[in-house]
Amino acid sequence: MNIYKALTIAGSDSGGGAGIQADLKTFQELGVYGMSALTAVTAQNTLGVQGVYPLEPAAVAQQLDSVGEDLTPDAVKTGMLFSSDIIRTVADKIRQYGWNNLVIDPVMVAKGGSSLLLREAVQSLIDHLLPLALVTTPNIPEAEILADMSIANLQDCEEAAKRIRQMGSQSVVIKGGHGSENGIVTDVLYDGREFVYMESPRIDTRHTHGTGCTYSAALTAELAKGHSAAEAVRTAKAFIRAAIEDGLGIGSGHGPTNHFAYGRRLRAEGSERQ
Ligand SMILES: Nc1ncnc2c1ncn2[C@@H]1O[C@H](COP(=O)(O)OP(=O)(O)O)[C@@H](O)[C@H]1O
Ligand SMILES: Cc1ncc(COP(=O)(O)OP(=O)(O)O)c(N)n1
C-alpha cells in the first residue's frame, strides 16, 4: 500500500479547530499520514486567542530537519508563521529539501482579530515564501494586503490573483468566505492561463473557526496523493462545505468545523450503493 505523507508547518490551536490540529485531522480524514512542525503555541478557544508564544527559529529548523532527513513528505503546507525570522528559516528549509508540492496559506489574523503574523513579516512572506509556492490560498483580507488593493467583487479578485501570482506562486486561490454575492461564496483559482470559479451556497452559521486552515490542509492532502491543483481545490471545497454544513456546535463562540463530515458522507453514500 502506498502511504501518502503531508507536512504542516503551522501554529498550535489549543481549541483544536484551526492550526496544526485542523491540518492533522484533515490529513487523516483524507487518508494521508500527517506530520507537523510547530511555529508557535497559541492559547485559543472558540471565544478568541488568549495568548501567542512563538518558537525560536532554531526549534522550527530542527523539526524540519527531523522530518526532512527521514520522512520525505509528498506535499507541504504552511499556516501561521508569525515572524520574519521564522519565515526565512522555513523558506530556507523548504528550498534545502526541495519541497515543491507546497501550499502557502498566508495566515495573518484570526477571526476574532488577533494577529498571527507580525505586520513587518508580510514583506518576508512575499519575498521568501510566495516564490516557492505551488498554490497560495489567501482569504479576501489577506489578498488585499498581499496585492495592495481593495477587493469588492469578483473582478477585483481576478486582479488580486494576477498580482499575487506575479510574486511567484504558480497558482492562487482567493477564498471567498469573507465576501458573498446573492448568497453564493465563490473561491477564485488562477493558474496563469484561466480563472476557475468554485461556487457554493453561503452557509449561515457562526461556526466557521478554522475554515481556511481546513481548506488548505484538504488541498495539501489531495496534492500529496498526486492530484493536480485544479482537482485538489475541488475536493478541498467539497471537504470544507461538508465541514461547515455539519458544524459541531461546540464552545460558546465561533465553533470549529466538523472534520468528520466529508468522510462520513462518503462512507454513507458508499453503503447506500451496496
Ligand atoms: N459561510 C460559508 N459558507 C460556505 N462556504 C464558506 C463559508 N465561509 C467560508 N467558506 C469556505 O471556506 C473556505 C475558507 O474560506 P475563508 O473563510 O474565506 O478562509 P479563512 O478562514 O482563511 O478566512 C473557502 O473554500 C470558502 O469558500
Ligand atoms: C494557530 C492558528 N493558526 C491559524 C489560525 C487561523 O485559522 P483560519 O482557518 O484562518 O480560521 P480563523 O481563526 O480565522 O477562524 C488560527 N486561528 N490559529
Side-chain angles (χ1 to χ4, degrees):
M1 188 171 89
N2 201 353
I3 305 291
Y4 300 109
K5 306 184 287 306
L7 167 67
T8 169
I9 307 168
S12 164
D13 166 8
S14 51
I20 291 274
Q21 289 81 357
D23 295 343
L24 292 175
K25 291 174 195 179
T26 303
F27 293 165
Q28 182 85 8
E29 284 293 311
L30 288 167
V32 170
Y33 179 81
M35 301 169 283
S36 61
L38 275 187
T39 56
V41 173
T42 72
Q44 192 173 170
N45 56 25
T46 67
L47 299 170
V49 179
Q50 291 84 41
V52 174
Y53 303 90
L55 265 66
E56 289 297 325
V60 178
Q62 196 172 14
Q63 294 173 78
L64 295 174
D65 284 335
S66 294
V67 174
E69 287 167 7
D70 186 35
L71 289 157
T72 329
D74 299 297
V76 176
K77 71 158 276 193
T78 67
M80 173 188 180
L81 296 173
F82 193 68
S83 69
S84 294
D85 287 348
I86 294 177
I87 289 171
R88 275 197 295 270
T89 300
V90 167
D92 285 348
K93 291 294 170 192
I94 286 171
R95 262 191 264 100
Q96 179 182 335
Y97 291 107
W99 291 334
N100 301 324
N101 224 6
L102 177 67
V103 175
I104 305 289
D105 183 3
V107 171
M108 294 183 189
V109 179
K111 282 210 173 64
S114 301
S115 178
L116 303 178
L117 181 74
L118 297 174
R119 191 77 198 189
E120 77 246 19
V122 171
Q123 198 57 46
S124 298
L125 191 72
I126 293 171
D127 292 342
H128 301 290
L129 266 186
L130 292 199
L132 306 178
L134 179 66
V135 190
T136 301
T137 63
N139 62 23
I140 289 174
E142 290 156 357
E144 290 184 320
I145 290 171
L146 293 173
D148 193 22
M149 60 179 279
S150 58
I151 297 177
N153 52 42
L154 291 174
Q155 285 68 40
D156 294 339
C157 277
E158 289 190 359
E159 174 58 26
K162 278 186 188 166
R163 292 189 191 188
I164 295 168
R165 194 175 170 280
Q166 274 166 2
M167 294 165 183
S169 181
Q170 291 177 48
S171 291
V172 178
V173 181
I174 301 196
K175 300 169 295 186
H178 293 249
S180 145
E181 281 178 24
N182 305 320
I184 301 291
V185 179
T186 307
D187 298 349
V188 179
L189 168 68
Y190 182 56
D191 64 1
R193 290 186 309 267
E194 58 174 355
F195 292 97
V196 178
Y197 282 21
M198 280 151 295
E199 298 180 339
S200 60
R202 166 166 289 284
I203 302 153
D204 185 18
T205 174
R206 66 189 160 89
H207 299 304
T208 55
H209 174 52
T211 47
C213 299
T214 302
Y215 172 87
S216 56
L219 169 56
T220 307
E222 291 302 295
L223 291 173
K225 293 180 200 169
H227 295 297
S228 68
E231 291 165 337
V233 292
R234 295 214 174 274
T235 304
K237 180 81 173 166
F239 190 98
I240 193 62
R241 183 176 172 177
I244 301 171
E245 276 174 351
D246 295 1
L248 297 167
I250 61 173
S252 39
H254 292 286
T257 68
N258 182 348
H259 296 97
F260 302 115
Y262 179 80
R264 280 188 179 159
R265 287 184 188 189
L266 280 188
R267 287 188 290 276
E269 277 169 24
S271 59
E272 258 172 38
R273 260 188 256 117
Q274 280 167 9

